[in-house]
Amino acid sequence: MLEFKNVTFKYLEYDYEMLNDLSFSVEKGEFVSIIGASGCGKSTIFRLINGLEKMQSGEIFINEDSIKNLKNYSAYMPQKDLLFPWRTIGDNLSLPMEIQKIKKSDRENRVLEILKEVGLSDYKDKFPKELSGGMRQRVSFARTLLTGSELLLLDEPFSALDSLTRILMQEWLLEEWKHFNKTILFITHDVEEAIFLSKSIFVIQDNPITHMERIEVPLEYPRSRSSMQKPEIIELKESLISRLRQKVNI
């Protein structure tokens, strides 16, 4: 579904490249995580997919079409929920559909449907300040879904949550991914989170990024927390941490 083909990119204010001749692909319906040291270029990859930055060379394709020719092909969910505090939850969810000029009655119906799906049917008329952190992230994810895009880019969406809420949100996200059958590219610094969620993990070790090592996670779906204690998973976790530790300067 997603393909990077020989992509090279540098920010104009810097002398060095972030990506150099990078190629990789993600299949439709996959859940793939990207891990790497801070500042290695993970979020830059998302910005390029969204067309927020212009690459120096190469091409990015969605379903074999260049993103230069496409609109509304991906949706982005950042670390912060970015809900507008002056809008109700229902109105926040309506925003992507307002931008697409979908008529009001259809917007309202879809908002009610998605609120039911994410377990927040009673919160349509509440304001963001009245919701917990986990609830706000569920709303943010629901808003991402309502863009209608098949490719979802999730940039450390659970990093600010407490550990228990984060675990519950990870389990919830897998259920939603299975239900909506979206393709998800997920950035995280948490190796265990990447393993629990992903079919495959891309590991960034180069600077600039010239390639990403792809590692398959040896777990079937659905997954449970007990599966994280399997010897092969513990070994994988230690291997990934070792790879990342080599690139971290303290």
Side-chain angles (χ1 to χ4, degrees):
M1 180 191 189
L2 168 68
E3 182 183 8
F4 270 53
K5 190 171 183 180
N6 307 118
V7 173
T8 294
F9 171 78
K10 69 180 289 294
Y11 290 102
L12 296 179
E13 59 267 34
Y14 300 129
D15 295 330
Y16 56 87
E17 294 174 337
M18 296 295 295
L19 285 67
N20 187 312
D21 202 34
L22 177 65
S23 297
F24 71 91
S25 62
V26 176
E27 298 298 317
K28 181 177 175 59
E30 283 192 306
F31 196 124
V32 177
S33 287
I34 301 176
I35 62 173
S38 295
C40 70
K42 300 184 296 296
S43 295
T44 298
I45 290 173
F46 277 15
R47 291 181 65 81
L48 287 166
I49 294 172
N50 277 327
L52 299 176
E53 303 290 349
K54 185 177 180 181
M55 66 199 90
Q56 275 67 50
S57 62
E59 201 77 69
I60 300 174
F61 299 93
I62 299 290
N63 294 324
E64 300 184 350
D65 287 330
S66 171
I67 62 171
K68 296 175 183 176
N69 307 321
L70 300 174
K71 293 182 178 181
N72 302 322
Y73 54 85
S74 68
Y76 175 61
M77 179 178 171
Q79 296 178 36
K80 296 182 179 180
D81 57 70
L82 299 183
L83 300 176
F84 292 119
W86 59 88
R87 297 182 67 136
T88 65
I89 298 306
D91 288 341
N92 267 286
L93 288 174
S94 290
L95 186 58
M97 295 181 287
E98 290 175 23
I99 293 170
Q100 297 174 42
K101 301 189 184 304
I102 294 173
K103 65 180 182 179
K104 185 175 181 180
S105 59
D106 289 342
R107 295 201 309 263
E108 290 176 346
N109 289 334
R110 291 172 67 179
V111 164
L112 291 174
E113 289 172 2
I114 199 70
L115 281 172
K116 182 178 180 180
E117 180 57 40
V118 301
L120 294 172
S121 294
D122 295 334
Y123 293 85
K124 177 177 176 291
D125 298 320
K126 301 287 187 182
F127 288 90
K129 66 179 181 181
E130 300 177 78
L131 275 62
S132 68
M135 287 177 175
R136 288 168 66 110
Q137 288 303 88
R138 276 192 275 167
V139 174
S140 181
F141 181 73
R143 184 175 59 184
T144 306
L145 286 171
L146 287 171
T147 64
S149 303
E150 291 301 313
L151 175 63
L152 307 184
L153 309 175
L154 311 186
D155 191 350
E156 297 192 78
F158 307 145
S159 61
L161 302 177
D162 65 82
S163 58
L164 178 57
T165 302
R166 185 168 184 159
I167 287 171
L168 295 174
M169 288 299 295
Q170 291 166 3
E171 295 170 349
W172 174 83
L173 178 59
L174 283 183
E175 293 176 359
E176 298 304 301
W177 167 64
K178 180 180 179 182
H179 177 78
F180 288 101
N181 193 32
K182 299 290 186 178
T183 304
I184 293 181
L185 204 55
F186 189 96
I187 287 176
T188 180
H189 283 96
D190 187 327
V191 170
E192 187 166 315
E193 180 174 66
I195 293 172
F196 181 72
L197 292 173
S198 311
K199 178 181 182 293
S200 303
I201 299 172
F202 283 125
V203 184
I204 298 175
Q205 290 185 281
D206 293 338
N207 187 11
I209 306 171
T210 59
H211 78 284
M212 297 192 294
E213 182 182 5
R214 180 172 181 138
I215 297 175
E216 302 298 321
V217 178
L219 288 175
E220 298 295 329
Y221 295 102
R223 296 177 178 178
S224 65
R225 290 291 159 183
S226 61
S227 63
M228 300 299 290
Q229 302 305 313
K230 292 183 177 181
E232 63 269 30
I233 298 302
I234 294 174
E235 182 180 350
L236 173 58
K237 179 180 176 180
E238 293 304 315
S239 174
L240 291 173
I241 290 173
S242 178
R243 284 174 169 85
L244 297 182
R245 183 181 286 128
Q246 296 170 16
K247 296 296 179 181
V248 176
N249 296 317
I250 300 177

